[in-house]
Amino acid sequence: MPLDPSVLQAFAPTGVLRASINLGNPILAKAGAPGADPSGVSVDLARALAERLGVPIAFAVFDAAGRSVEAVTQEQADVGFFAVDPLRGAGIAFTAPYVLIEGCYLVRGDSPLRTNEAVDQAGHRVVVGKGSAYDLYLSREMKAATLVRAPTSPAVVDTFLAEGADVAAGVKQQLQADAQRLGGGLRLLPGRFMVIQQAMGLPKGRGAAAAGVLHAFVEEAKASGFVQQALERHGIQGASVAPAQAPV
């Protein structure tokens, strides 16, 4: 179905769809070889959207979620891939989520902490990636523990060790990979402390019509099996396709 020219202009005012890609979440994107584009589920979705719109794609690549959010909010990029959060929603129109991701805690092997509920206590220091979904969520929810902010999500575990903090918080797969990289002596607490709803988004000023088209694109990508196939193609475990949602 052809798009109204005004909607196409809203998506790609420069004639190119500029997609903001966050490398801080390994479930969704990874850096490519020098001079090459990134790869991952979010990259596949961006390419599919550009093909649907009939415009070229360009990637704006960032190492932290907060920087990717800024790029879209400030209209330096046209679409992005973010964990849904009300603070980010001030400048970004989100679709329904396309994948659900677990947020977990990691501690040292000899830590007395055994449950997620025991983390939020006075005197505990919890390391998060600055501006990440975990930072935003725990900034609202934690009542007694202190948050320590690493510059990016991939730097959380190294900061946790360097600072002598009590807990590292982040994407389950990133924490597992870091524990393996560092040679053991670290463990995840059982279960999860949050489920992240990962969605697409565009600047709020682009209008309701464009937001509706993007929502429909995401729902079709879920229903057609595109998202599930992308997860499998990139070997992603621990993330599930989000359930369908009605049109906005």
Side-chain angles (χ1 to χ4, degrees), residues 20-31 38-46 59 61-62 65 68 80-84 88 97-102 133-134 171 173-174 196-200 226-227 230-231 233-242:
S20 180
I21 302 295
N22 169 31
L23 299 181
N25 186 336
I27 285 182
L28 300 178
K30 295 180 180 179
S39 64
V41 177
S42 58
V43 176
D44 291 352
L45 281 166
F59 296 105
V61 180
F62 300 94
S68 184
F81 301 82
F82 315 106
V84 176
R88 294 173 176 174
Y98 59 93
V99 295
L100 305 177
I101 302 171
E102 293 180 301
Y134 318 99
V171 174
Q173 286 73 17
Q174 179 75 60
I196 299 163
Q197 297 183 326
Q198 198 74 28
M200 291 187 72
F226 182 95
V227 176
L231 290 170
R233 182 166 54 252
H234 295 288
I236 301 302
Q237 298 180 346
S240 59
V241 179

Side-chain angles (χ1 to χ4, degrees), residues 169-194:
V171 174
K172 182 177 182 179
Q173 286 73 17
Q174 179 75 60
L175 297 177
Q176 288 174 323
D178 285 336
Q180 184 176 9
R181 170 176 63 86
L182 293 165
L186 302 172
R187 59 182 169 84
L188 291 175
L189 295 184
R192 61 199 186 194
F193 70 87
M194 71 178 294

Side-chain angles (χ1 to χ4, degrees), residues 47-206:
R47 290 190 190 281
L49 177 61
E51 183 177 349
R52 176 70 56 86
L53 297 174
V55 296
I57 185 78
F59 296 105
V61 180
F62 300 94
D63 61 359
R67 294 169 188 150
S68 184
V69 169
E70 286 177 7
V72 175
T73 302
Q74 297 172 8
E75 303 207 29
Q76 296 168 353
D78 304 307
V79 294
F81 301 82
F82 315 106
V84 176
D85 185 89
L87 187 61
R88 294 173 176 174
I92 294 174
F94 290 109
T95 66
Y98 59 93
V99 295
L100 305 177
I101 302 171
E102 293 180 301
C104 296
Y105 291 133
L106 177 138
V107 297
R108 291 174 181 78
D110 60 359
S111 170
L113 292 171
R114 297 290 170 184
T115 67
N116 292 322
E117 293 73 21
V119 169
D120 189 14
Q121 295 183 19
H124 288 167
R125 294 191 300 153
V126 181
V127 181
V128 295
K130 183 179 179 180
S132 68
Y134 318 99
D135 183 4
L136 299 176
Y137 175 82
L138 294 175
S139 293
R140 291 191 299 269
E141 298 298 322
M142 279 201 158
K143 308 304 180 187
T146 299
L147 292 181
V148 177
R149 292 175 174 86
T152 66
S153 291
V156 162
V157 175
D158 289 320
T159 302
F160 156 76
L161 293 173
E163 293 283 339
D166 302 283
V167 180
V171 174
K172 182 177 182 179
Q173 286 73 17
Q174 179 75 60
L175 297 177
Q176 288 174 323
D178 285 336
Q180 184 176 9
R181 170 176 63 86
L182 293 165
L186 302 172
R187 59 182 169 84
L188 291 175
L189 295 184
R192 61 199 186 194
F193 70 87
M194 71 178 294
V195 175
I196 299 163
Q197 297 183 326
Q198 198 74 28
M200 291 187 72
L202 74 169
K204 258 193 172 168
R206 300 294 176 86

Side-chain angles (χ1 to χ4, degrees), residues 213-231:
V213 168
L214 189 60
H215 178 92
F217 168 79
V218 166
E219 292 305 305
E220 182 181 331
K222 292 187 293 186
S224 69
F226 182 95
V227 176
Q228 181 61 46
Q229 291 162 12
L231 290 170

